[in-house]
Structure formats: C-alpha cells, structure tokens
Amino acid sequence: MKFVKNYNNNAALVVDDENVEWMIVGKGIGFGKKPGDLVDASKITQKFKSVNNDEIDTLKEYDEGIINVTTDIVQDVEAFLKVKFNDYQYLILADHINFAYKRAKEHIEFTDRAVSWEVKKLFPKEYQASVRALEIIREDLGVVFPKGELVFLTYHFVNLENEKETLQDTIQVSKMIADIINIIQISYHTTLDDESFNYSRLVSHLRYFLIRKLKSNKTSTEQLDPSLLKLMIMKYPDENATVQKISTFLRNTKGWALSQNDQVYLILHVWRVTHRNN
C-alpha cells in the first residue's frame, strides 16, 4: 500500500496494488509520510474502503486523540475478551467516545445507579473491560469519564458477540433479562448468586433467546418430544410456575408466546440456577 494523503498522524488515505483506496488507522501511521511512500503494514490496526460513507467521513474529522484512544481500547478489549471488532463496531465506538469526551469536558453526566448495578451483574467480563477502557481514556486523553459511561461501554462490548445485533437491541435485551431475573428471584424469595456458573448460563441463554425473538417471532423447526414438556411440568412444578410468570411477562410486554421448546429449556435453567451451588 502507498500513501495518498494524511488526515492526521493516526489516519491516512492509501491505495493498494489494485488501485483501490483505503482509509487506514494506526498509531503514527501518517506521521511524516508523503504521497507515494510505502505504508508500514505492522502499524495498521483498522482499515476501511474509501467510499461515500458518512461514518468514515466523520472519523476523518475526529481529533487524532480520539482515534488513538479508540485504537488502544479496541486492542485491549480484543485481547481481554477474545473478540474482534468489525469496521462498523470500531466506528460506533469511536463516535461514542468522541461524544462522551465532549460531555465529560462540559461535566454532563448520564447516570442511573440501578442500571449500572444490573449491567455489572449481568455482564461482569464486559463490565470489567469497560473499567479498563475508562483507565485507558484517562491515560490517553487526561480526562476522567463519569462512571455512568461504564454502562454504555459495557453495552458496546456485549454487542461484539453478535454482528447483527444493534446497540438498541442490546440495551432492550439487557433490561428484559434483568426483569426476568427479578421474576425468578421474587418467585423463590431469594437473591441469585450472580457469580455462579449457572447464573452465567441463564444470562447467556436468555440473551440469545431474546435476540432470536426480537429478530424473528418464528419458532425453531426442530421440536422436542411434546411429552417432554409434560414430564418437566410434573417433575418441576415450581419451576414451571415461574416460567409461566415469565411467559405472561413476555406476552404482556412484547406480545411473544413461548414455544414448548422455550418452556422446557427455561424450566431447566430456572431449576439449575435455584438449586445448584456452582
């Protein structure tokens, strides 16, 4: 790849061997470069095809400090969570950090302690990645972001697991998971152990189940033996009663109906999370 022009020290326009233009991002990628110079491929952390894309055009206008800190956070999160950012997710994160940076300088904070507590319990690994991200922001930009940003960053990092899931989907699903867990806790008059393996399995199951329902109300083509649900209801009457409460909640709030498969799996997860200490 050869340089065409620099946007700043950390972003530049280049052309490949087939004369396709790319916008590349990386620490010091554009420092001291002139048109025609070869690019150091080892410094490239993100690249985007140079097309008429409003999001990429916006990225060109960011202060290079925003690009630098976004790149640092992406590299840290990818290593910490064993995930990979696509181009869209990188751009969305950069846009969020840019906006949050402006709010922080103006001392504007959006904080909801209840939501922060829920998100920390639902997604502990992603929340910890957000704690690390705020420290990177403090070191790179010299600005302390309010703790309320931990929630928004956690949503971004949770969203990395599913490229088709929007940030709005993640926020909506997270709220619904918290509501379902509250239904279980109220039904059993207990507080679930949010550090247990079965709690983590429940949250993962609910997340994928709710995303599937959100994207399509179609039921799975692979149906379990109908007699299995009857057996589960007989064996786990209390868990079934709780699942029926969850069913009523989903029907009243979203108009969704639980299939027999959904009920069987939920009964099992409710039993596990309320009866096993692991």
Side-chain angles (χ1 to χ4, degrees), residues 30-109:
F31 181 73
K33 296 297 182 180
K34 298 178 181 179
D37 287 348
L38 293 177
V39 63
D40 183 352
S42 66
K43 289 186 176 181
I44 300 176
T45 56
Q46 211 77 27
K47 63 179 183 178
F48 313 90
K49 277 192 176 180
S50 183
V51 295
N52 294 324
N53 188 310
D54 292 339
E55 291 163 338
I56 293 180
D57 289 340
T58 300
L59 186 61
K60 297 174 186 176
E61 298 173 2
Y62 292 157
D63 182 276
E64 74 176 72
I66 298 297
I67 298 176
N68 184 51
V69 74
T70 301
T71 300
D72 284 347
I73 290 173
V74 166
Q75 291 177 332
D76 185 74
V77 171
E78 287 184 339
F80 185 68
L81 295 180
K82 303 296 188 294
V83 294
K84 187 69 178 177
F85 281 74
N86 61 30
D87 291 351
Y88 176 75
Q89 290 163 340
Y90 178 95
L91 292 168
I92 290 295
L93 180 62
D95 185 65
H96 177 84
I97 292 173
N98 184 59
F99 185 51
Y101 178 62
K102 294 177 181 178
R103 291 203 310 268
K105 290 198 298 183
E106 296 173 1
H107 305 289
I108 299 173
E109 180 177 358

Coordinates of all heavy atoms in Angstrom, one line a residue, residues 30-109:
G30 N 0.5 8.0 9.9 CA 0.6 9.0 8.9 C 1.7 10.0 9.2 O 1.9 11.0 8.5
F31 N 2.5 9.8 10.3 CA 3.5 10.7 10.8 C 4.6 10.8 9.7 O 5.3 9.8 9.4 CB 4.0 10.3 12.1 CG 5.1 11.3 12.6 CD1 4.7 12.5 13.1 CD2 6.4 10.9 12.6 CE1 5.7 13.4 13.6 CE2 7.4 11.8 13.1 CZ 7.0 13.0 13.6
G32 N 4.9 12.0 9.2 CA 6.0 12.3 8.4 C 5.9 11.7 7.0 O 6.9 11.6 6.3
K33 N 4.8 11.2 6.6 CA 4.6 10.5 5.3 C 4.3 11.4 4.2 O 3.6 12.4 4.4 CB 3.6 9.4 5.4 CG 4.0 8.2 6.4 CD 5.3 7.5 5.9 CE 5.6 6.4 6.9 NZ 6.8 5.7 6.5
K34 N 4.7 11.1 3.0 CA 4.4 11.9 1.8 C 3.7 11.0 0.8 O 3.9 9.8 0.8 CB 5.7 12.5 1.2 CG 6.4 13.4 2.2 CD 7.7 14.0 1.5 CE 8.4 14.9 2.5 NZ 9.7 15.4 1.9
P35 N 3.0 11.6 -0.1 CA 2.3 10.8 -1.2 C 3.3 9.9 -1.9 O 4.4 10.3 -2.3 CB 1.7 11.8 -2.1 CG 1.5 13.0 -1.2 CD 2.6 13.0 -0.3
G36 N 2.9 8.6 -2.0 CA 3.8 7.7 -2.7 C 4.7 6.8 -1.8 O 5.2 5.8 -2.2
D37 N 4.8 7.2 -0.5 CA 5.5 6.5 0.5 C 4.8 5.1 0.7 O 3.6 5.1 0.7 CB 5.7 7.2 1.8 CG 6.7 8.4 1.6 OD1 7.4 8.4 0.6 OD2 6.8 9.2 2.6
L38 N 5.6 4.1 1.0 CA 5.0 2.8 1.4 C 4.5 2.8 2.8 O 5.1 3.5 3.7 CB 6.1 1.7 1.2 CG 6.5 1.4 -0.3 CD1 7.6 0.3 -0.2 CD2 5.3 0.9 -1.1
V39 N 3.4 2.1 3.1 CA 2.9 2.1 4.4 C 3.5 0.9 5.2 O 3.8 -0.1 4.6 CB 1.3 1.9 4.3 CG1 1.0 0.6 3.7 CG2 0.7 2.0 5.7
D40 N 3.7 1.1 6.5 CA 4.2 0.1 7.3 C 3.0 -0.7 7.8 O 2.2 -0.3 8.7 CB 4.9 0.7 8.6 CG 5.5 -0.3 9.5 OD1 5.2 -1.5 9.3 OD2 6.2 0.1 10.4
A41 N 2.8 -1.9 7.2 CA 1.6 -2.7 7.4 C 1.5 -3.1 8.9 O 0.3 -3.3 9.4 CB 1.6 -4.0 6.5
S42 N 2.6 -3.2 9.6 CA 2.5 -3.6 11.0 C 1.8 -2.6 11.9 O 1.4 -2.9 13.0 CB 3.9 -3.9 11.5 OG 4.7 -2.7 11.6
K43 N 1.7 -1.4 11.4 CA 1.1 -0.3 12.2 C -0.4 -0.2 12.0 O -1.1 0.6 12.7 CB 1.8 1.1 11.9 CG 3.2 1.2 12.4 CD 3.7 2.6 12.2 CE 5.1 2.8 12.8 NZ 5.6 4.2 12.6
I44 N -0.9 -0.9 11.0 CA -2.3 -0.8 10.6 C -3.2 -1.6 11.7 O -3.0 -2.8 11.8 CB -2.6 -1.3 9.2 CG1 -1.9 -0.5 8.2 CG2 -4.1 -1.2 8.9 CD1 -2.0 -1.0 6.8
T45 N -4.1 -0.9 12.3 CA -5.0 -1.6 13.3 C -6.4 -1.7 12.7 O -7.2 -2.5 13.2 CB -5.0 -0.8 14.6 OG1 -5.4 0.5 14.4 CG2 -3.6 -0.9 15.3
Q46 N -6.7 -0.8 11.8 CA -8.1 -0.8 11.2 C -8.0 -0.2 9.8 O -7.2 0.7 9.6 CB -9.0 0.0 12.1 CG -10.5 -0.5 12.1 CD -10.7 -1.7 12.9 OE1 -9.9 -1.9 13.9 NE2 -11.7 -2.5 12.6
K47 N -8.8 -0.8 8.9 CA -8.8 -0.2 7.6 C -10.2 -0.2 7.0 O -11.0 -1.2 7.3 CB -7.8 -0.8 6.6 CG -8.1 -2.3 6.3 CD -7.0 -2.8 5.4 CE -7.3 -4.3 5.0 NZ -6.3 -4.8 4.0
F48 N -10.6 0.8 6.2 CA -11.9 0.9 5.7 C -11.8 1.3 4.2 O -11.0 2.1 3.8 CB -12.7 2.0 6.4 CG -12.6 2.0 7.9 CD1 -11.6 2.7 8.5 CD2 -13.5 1.2 8.6 CE1 -11.6 2.6 9.9 CE2 -13.5 1.2 10.0 CZ -12.5 1.9 10.6
K49 N -12.6 0.7 3.4 CA -12.6 1.0 1.9 C -13.1 2.5 1.8 O -14.1 2.9 2.4 CB -13.5 0.1 1.1 CG -12.9 -1.2 0.7 CD -13.7 -1.9 -0.3 CE -12.9 -3.2 -0.8 NZ -13.7 -3.9 -1.8
S50 N -12.4 3.2 1.0 CA -12.7 4.7 0.9 C -13.8 4.8 -0.1 O -13.7 4.9 -1.3 CB -11.5 5.4 0.4 OG -11.8 6.8 0.3
V51 N -15.1 4.8 0.4 CA -16.3 5.0 -0.4 C -17.1 6.2 0.2 O -16.7 6.8 1.2 CB -17.1 3.7 -0.4 CG1 -16.4 2.6 -1.1 CG2 -17.5 3.3 1.0
N52 N -18.2 6.5 -0.4 CA -19.0 7.6 0.1 C -19.7 7.1 1.3 O -20.9 6.6 1.3 CB -20.0 8.0 -1.0 CG -19.4 8.7 -2.2 OD1 -18.4 9.4 -2.0 ND2 -19.9 8.4 -3.4
N53 N -19.1 7.2 2.4 CA -19.6 6.7 3.7 C -19.6 7.8 4.7 O -18.5 8.3 5.1 CB -18.7 5.5 4.2 CG -19.3 4.8 5.4 OD1 -19.7 5.4 6.4 ND2 -19.4 3.4 5.3
D54 N -20.7 8.2 5.2 CA -20.8 9.3 6.1 C -20.1 9.0 7.4 O -19.5 9.9 8.0 CB -22.3 9.6 6.5 CG -23.0 10.2 5.3 OD1 -22.4 10.7 4.4 OD2 -24.3 10.1 5.3
E55 N -20.1 7.7 7.9 CA -19.4 7.4 9.1 C -17.9 7.6 9.0 O -17.2 8.0 9.9 CB -19.8 6.0 9.5 CG -21.3 5.8 10.0 CD -21.7 4.4 10.0 OE1 -21.1 3.6 9.3 OE2 -22.7 4.1 10.7
I56 N -17.3 7.1 7.9 CA -15.9 7.3 7.7 C -15.5 8.7 7.5 O -14.5 9.2 8.0 CB -15.5 6.4 6.4 CG1 -15.6 4.9 6.7 CG2 -14.0 6.7 6.1 CD1 -15.2 4.1 5.6
D57 N -16.4 9.5 6.8 CA -16.1 10.9 6.7 C -16.1 11.6 8.1 O -15.3 12.5 8.3 CB -17.2 11.6 5.8 CG -17.1 11.2 4.4 OD1 -16.0 10.8 4.0 OD2 -18.1 11.3 3.6
T58 N -17.0 11.1 9.0 CA -17.0 11.7 10.3 C -15.7 11.3 11.1 O -15.1 12.1 11.8 CB -18.2 11.1 11.1 OG1 -19.4 11.5 10.4 CG2 -18.2 11.7 12.5
L59 N -15.2 10.1 10.9 CA -14.0 9.7 11.5 C -12.8 10.6 11.1 O -11.9 10.9 11.9 CB -13.7 8.2 11.2 CG -12.5 7.5 11.9 CD1 -12.7 7.5 13.4 CD2 -12.3 6.1 11.3
K60 N -12.8 11.0 9.9 CA -11.7 11.9 9.4 C -11.7 13.2 10.2 O -10.6 13.8 10.4 CB -11.9 12.3 8.0 CG -11.9 11.1 7.0 CD -12.2 11.5 5.6 CE -12.3 10.3 4.6 NZ -12.8 10.7 3.3
E61 N -12.9 13.6 10.7 CA -12.9 14.9 11.4 C -12.6 14.8 12.9 O -12.5 15.8 13.6 CB -14.4 15.5 11.3 CG -14.8 15.7 9.8 CD -16.2 16.1 9.7 OE1 -16.9 16.2 10.7 OE2 -16.7 16.3 8.5
Y62 N -12.5 13.6 13.4 CA -12.2 13.5 14.9 C -10.7 13.9 15.2 O -9.8 13.8 14.3 CB -12.3 12.0 15.3 CG -13.7 11.5 15.3 CD1 -13.9 10.1 15.2 CD2 -14.8 12.3 15.4 CE1 -15.2 9.6 15.2 CE2 -16.1 11.8 15.4 CZ -16.3 10.4 15.3 OH -17.6 9.9 15.3
D63 N -10.6 14.4 16.4 CA -9.3 14.7 16.9 C -8.4 13.4 16.9 O -9.0 12.4 17.2 CB -9.4 15.3 18.3 CG -8.0 15.7 18.9 OD1 -7.3 14.8 19.4 OD2 -7.6 16.9 18.8
E64 N -7.2 13.5 16.6 CA -6.4 12.3 16.5 C -6.3 11.6 17.8 O -6.1 10.4 17.9 CB -5.0 12.5 15.9 CG -4.0 13.2 16.8 CD -2.6 13.3 16.1 OE1 -2.5 14.1 15.2 OE2 -1.7 12.6 16.5
G65 N -6.5 12.3 18.9 CA -6.5 11.7 20.2 C -7.7 10.7 20.4 O -7.5 9.7 21.1
I66 N -8.8 11.1 19.8 CA -10.0 10.2 19.8 C -9.7 8.9 19.0 O -10.0 7.8 19.5 CB -11.2 10.8 19.2 CG1 -11.6 12.1 20.0 CG2 -12.4 9.9 19.1 CD1 -12.0 11.8 21.5
I67 N -9.0 9.0 17.9 CA -8.7 7.8 17.1 C -7.7 7.0 17.8 O -7.8 5.8 17.9 CB -8.1 8.2 15.7 CG1 -9.2 9.0 14.9 CG2 -7.6 7.0 14.9 CD1 -8.7 9.5 13.6
N68 N -6.7 7.7 18.5 CA -5.7 7.0 19.2 C -6.2 6.2 20.4 O -5.9 5.0 20.6 CB -4.6 8.0 19.7 CG -3.5 7.4 20.4 OD1 -2.8 6.5 19.9 ND2 -3.2 7.8 21.6
V69 N -7.1 6.8 21.2 CA -7.7 6.1 22.4 C -8.6 5.0 21.9 O -8.7 4.0 22.6 CB -8.3 7.1 23.3 CG1 -9.7 7.6 22.8 CG2 -8.5 6.5 24.7
T70 N -9.4 5.2 20.8 CA -10.2 4.2 20.3 C -9.4 2.9 19.9 O -9.8 1.8 20.3 CB -11.1 4.7 19.2 OG1 -11.9 5.8 19.5 CG2 -12.0 3.6 18.6
T71 N -8.3 3.2 19.3 CA -7.5 2.1 18.8 C -6.9 1.3 20.0 O -6.9 0.1 20.1 CB -6.3 2.6 17.9 OG1 -6.9 3.2 16.8 CG2 -5.4 1.5 17.5
D72 N -6.5 2.1 21.0 CA -5.9 1.5 22.3 C -7.0 0.6 23.0 O -6.7 -0.5 23.4 CB -5.4 2.5 23.2 CG -4.1 3.1 22.8 OD1 -3.4 2.6 21.9 OD2 -3.7 4.2 23.3
I73 N -8.2 1.1 23.0 CA -9.3 0.4 23.7 C -9.6 -0.9 22.9 O -9.8 -1.9 23.5 CB -10.5 1.3 23.9 CG1 -10.2 2.4 25.0 CG2 -11.7 0.5 24.3 CD1 -11.3 3.4 25.1
V74 N -9.7 -0.7 21.6 CA -10.1 -1.9 20.8 C -9.0 -3.0 20.9 O -9.4 -4.2 21.1 CB -10.1 -1.5 19.3 CG1 -10.1 -2.7 18.4 CG2 -11.4 -0.6 19.0
Q75 N -7.8 -2.6 20.9 CA -6.7 -3.6 21.1 C -6.8 -4.3 22.5 O -6.6 -5.5 22.6 CB -5.3 -3.0 20.9 CG -5.1 -2.6 19.4 CD -3.7 -1.9 19.3 OE1 -3.2 -1.2 20.2 NE2 -3.2 -2.0 18.1
D76 N -7.1 -3.5 23.5 CA -7.2 -4.1 24.8 C -8.4 -5.0 25.0 O -8.3 -6.1 25.5 CB -7.2 -2.9 25.9 CG -7.2 -3.5 27.3 OD1 -6.1 -3.9 27.8 OD2 -8.3 -3.5 27.9
V77 N -9.5 -4.5 24.5 CA -10.8 -5.3 24.6 C -10.7 -6.6 23.8 O -11.1 -7.7 24.3 CB -12.0 -4.5 24.1 CG1 -13.2 -5.4 24.0 CG2 -12.2 -3.3 25.1
E78 N -10.1 -6.5 22.6 CA -10.0 -7.8 21.8 C -9.1 -8.8 22.5 O -9.4 -10.0 22.4 CB -9.3 -7.4 20.4 CG -10.3 -6.7 19.5 CD -9.7 -6.4 18.1 OE1 -8.5 -6.4 18.0 OE2 -10.5 -6.2 17.2
A79 N -8.1 -8.4 23.2 CA -7.2 -9.3 23.9 C -7.9 -9.8 25.2 O -7.8 -11.0 25.5 CB -5.9 -8.7 24.2
F80 N -8.6 -8.9 25.9 CA -9.2 -9.2 27.2 C -10.4 -10.1 27.0 O -10.6 -11.1 27.8 CB -9.5 -7.9 27.9 CG -10.1 -8.1 29.3 CD1 -9.3 -8.6 30.3 CD2 -11.4 -7.9 29.6 CE1 -9.7 -8.8 31.6 CE2 -11.9 -8.1 30.9 CZ -11.1 -8.5 31.9
L81 N -11.3 -9.8 26.0 CA -12.5 -10.6 25.9 C -12.4 -11.7 24.8 O -13.4 -12.4 24.6 CB -13.6 -9.6 25.5 CG -14.0 -8.6 26.6 CD1 -15.2 -7.7 26.1 CD2 -14.5 -9.3 27.9
K82 N -11.3 -11.7 24.1 CA -11.1 -12.7 23.0 C -12.2 -12.5 21.9 O -12.9 -13.4 21.5 CB -11.1 -14.1 23.5 CG -10.1 -14.4 24.6 CD -8.7 -14.3 24.1 CE -7.6 -14.7 25.1 NZ -7.6 -13.9 26.3
V83 N -12.4 -11.2 21.5 CA -13.4 -10.9 20.5 C -12.7 -10.1 19.4 O -11.5 -9.8 19.5 CB -14.5 -10.0 21.1 CG1 -15.3 -10.8 22.1 CG2 -14.0 -8.8 21.7
K84 N -13.4 -9.8 18.3 CA -12.9 -9.0 17.2 C -13.9 -7.9 16.8 O -15.0 -8.2 16.6 CB -12.6 -9.9 16.0 CG -11.8 -9.2 14.9 CD -10.4 -8.9 15.3 CE -9.6 -8.3 14.1 NZ -8.3 -7.8 14.5
F85 N -13.4 -6.7 16.7 CA -14.2 -5.6 16.3 C -14.3 -5.6 14.7 O -13.3 -5.8 14.1 CB -13.6 -4.2 16.7 CG -13.9 -3.8 18.1 CD1 -13.2 -4.4 19.1 CD2 -14.8 -2.8 18.4 CE1 -13.4 -4.1 20.5 CE2 -15.0 -2.4 19.7 CZ -14.3 -3.0 20.7
N86 N -15.5 -5.4 14.2 CA -15.5 -5.2 12.7 C -15.5 -3.7 12.5 O -15.5 -2.9 13.4 CB -16.8 -5.8 12.1 CG -18.1 -5.3 12.7 OD1 -18.2 -4.1 13.1 ND2 -19.1 -6.1 12.7
D87 N -15.5 -3.3 11.2 CA -15.3 -1.9 10.9 C -16.5 -1.0 11.5 O -16.2 0.0 12.1 CB -15.3 -1.6 9.4 CG -14.1 -2.2 8.7 OD1 -13.2 -2.6 9.5 OD2 -14.1 -2.3 7.5
Y88 N -17.7 -1.5 11.4 CA -18.8 -0.8 11.9 C -18.7 -0.6 13.4 O -19.0 0.5 14.0 CB -20.1 -1.5 11.6 CG -21.4 -0.9 12.1 CD1 -21.9 0.3 11.6 CD2 -22.0 -1.5 13.2 CE1 -23.0 0.9 12.1 CE2 -23.2 -0.9 13.8 CZ -23.7 0.3 13.2 OH -24.8 0.8 13.7
Q89 N -18.3 -1.7 14.2 CA -18.2 -1.6 15.6 C -17.1 -0.6 16.0 O -17.3 0.1 17.1 CB -18.0 -3.0 16.2 CG -19.2 -3.9 16.0 CD -18.9 -5.4 16.2 OE1 -17.7 -5.8 16.1 NE2 -19.9 -6.2 16.5
Y90 N -16.0 -0.6 15.3 CA -15.0 0.4 15.6 C -15.4 1.8 15.4 O -15.2 2.7 16.3 CB -13.8 0.1 14.6 CG -12.6 1.1 14.8 CD1 -11.5 0.7 15.7 CD2 -12.6 2.3 14.2 CE1 -10.5 1.6 15.8 CE2 -11.5 3.2 14.4 CZ -10.5 2.8 15.2 OH -9.4 3.7 15.4
L91 N -16.1 2.1 14.3 CA -16.6 3.4 14.1 C -17.7 3.8 15.1 O -17.6 5.0 15.6 CB -17.3 3.5 12.7 CG -16.3 3.3 11.5 CD1 -17.0 3.1 10.2 CD2 -15.4 4.5 11.4
I92 N -18.6 2.9 15.5 CA -19.6 3.2 16.5 C -18.9 3.6 17.9 O -19.3 4.5 18.6 CB -20.6 2.1 16.7 CG1 -21.4 2.0 15.4 CG2 -21.4 2.3 17.9 CD1 -22.4 3.2 15.2
L93 N -17.9 2.8 18.2 CA -17.2 3.1 19.5 C -16.5 4.4 19.4 O -16.5 5.2 20.4 CB -16.2 1.9 19.8 CG -15.4 2.1 21.0 CD1 -16.3 2.1 22.3 CD2 -14.3 1.0 21.2
A94 N -15.8 4.7 18.3 CA -15.1 6.0 18.2 C -16.1 7.1 18.3 O -15.8 8.1 18.9 CB -14.4 6.0 16.8
D95 N -17.2 7.0 17.7 CA -18.3 8.0 17.7 C -18.7 8.2 19.2 O -18.9 9.4 19.6 CB -19.4 7.7 16.8 CG -20.5 8.8 16.7 OD1 -20.1 9.9 16.2 OD2 -21.6 8.6 17.2
H96 N -18.9 7.1 19.9 CA -19.4 7.2 21.3 C -18.4 7.9 22.1 O -18.7 8.8 22.9 CB -19.7 5.8 21.8 CG -20.1 5.9 23.3 ND1 -21.4 6.1 23.7 CD2 -19.4 5.7 24.4 CE1 -21.4 6.1 25.0 NE2 -20.2 5.9 25.4
I97 N -17.1 7.5 22.0 CA -16.0 8.1 22.8 C -15.9 9.6 22.5 O -15.7 10.4 23.4 CB -14.7 7.4 22.6 CG1 -14.8 5.9 23.1 CG2 -13.5 8.1 23.2 CD1 -13.6 5.1 22.8
N98 N -16.0 9.9 21.2 CA -15.9 11.4 20.9 C -17.0 12.2 21.5 O -16.8 13.3 22.1 CB -16.0 11.5 19.3 CG -15.8 12.9 18.9 OD1 -14.8 13.5 19.1 ND2 -16.8 13.5 18.2
F99 N -18.2 11.7 21.5 CA -19.4 12.4 22.1 C -19.3 12.4 23.6 O -19.5 13.4 24.3 CB -20.7 11.7 21.7 CG -21.9 12.4 22.2 CD1 -22.1 13.7 21.9 CD2 -22.9 11.7 22.8 CE1 -23.3 14.4 22.4 CE2 -24.1 12.3 23.3 CZ -24.2 13.7 23.0
A100 N -18.8 11.3 24.2 CA -18.7 11.2 25.7 C -17.6 12.1 26.1 O -17.6 12.7 27.2 CB -18.4 9.8 26.1
Y101 N -16.5 12.3 25.3 CA -15.4 13.2 25.6 C -15.9 14.6 25.7 O -15.5 15.4 26.7 CB -14.3 13.0 24.6 CG -13.1 13.9 24.7 CD1 -12.3 13.9 25.8 CD2 -12.8 14.9 23.8 CE1 -11.2 14.7 26.0 CE2 -11.7 15.7 23.9 CZ -10.9 15.6 25.0 OH -9.8 16.4 25.1
K102 N -16.7 15.0 24.8 CA -17.3 16.4 24.8 C -18.2 16.6 26.1 O -18.1 17.6 26.7 CB -18.1 16.6 23.6 CG -17.3 16.7 22.3 CD -18.1 16.8 21.0 CE -17.3 16.9 19.8 NZ -18.1 17.0 18.6
R103 N -19.0 15.5 26.4 CA -19.8 15.6 27.6 C -19.0 15.7 28.8 O -19.3 16.5 29.8 CB -20.8 14.4 27.7 CG -21.8 14.3 26.6 CD -23.0 13.4 27.1 NE -22.6 12.2 27.6 CZ -22.4 11.0 26.9 NH1 -22.7 11.1 25.6 NH2 -22.0 9.9 27.4
A104 N -17.9 15.0 28.9 CA -17.1 14.9 30.1 C -16.4 16.3 30.3 O -16.3 16.8 31.5 CB -16.0 13.9 30.0
K105 N -16.0 16.9 29.2 CA -15.4 18.3 29.4 C -16.4 19.3 29.8 O -16.0 20.3 30.4 CB -14.8 18.7 28.1 CG -13.5 17.9 27.7 CD -12.7 18.6 26.6 CE -13.4 18.8 25.3 NZ -12.6 19.4 24.3
E106 N -17.7 19.1 29.5 CA -18.7 20.0 29.9 C -19.4 19.6 31.2 O -20.4 20.2 31.6 CB -19.8 20.1 28.8 CG -19.2 20.7 27.5 CD -20.2 20.7 26.4 OE1 -21.3 20.2 26.6 OE2 -19.9 21.1 25.2
H107 N -18.8 18.5 31.8 CA -19.4 18.0 33.1 C -20.8 17.6 33.0 O -21.6 17.8 33.9 CB -19.2 19.0 34.2 CG -17.7 19.5 34.4 ND1 -16.7 18.7 34.9 CD2 -17.2 20.7 34.0 CE1 -15.6 19.4 34.9 NE2 -15.8 20.6 34.4
I108 N -21.2 17.0 31.9 CA -22.5 16.5 31.7 C -22.5 15.0 31.9 O -21.7 14.3 31.3 CB -23.1 16.8 30.3 CG1 -23.1 18.3 30.0 CG2 -24.4 16.1 30.1 CD1 -23.5 18.7 28.6
E109 N -23.3 14.4 32.8 CA -23.3 13.0 33.1 C -24.7 12.4 33.0 O -25.6 13.0 33.5 CB -22.7 12.8 34.5 CG -22.6 11.3 34.9 CD -22.0 11.1 36.3 OE1 -21.6 12.1 36.9 OE2 -21.9 10.0 36.7

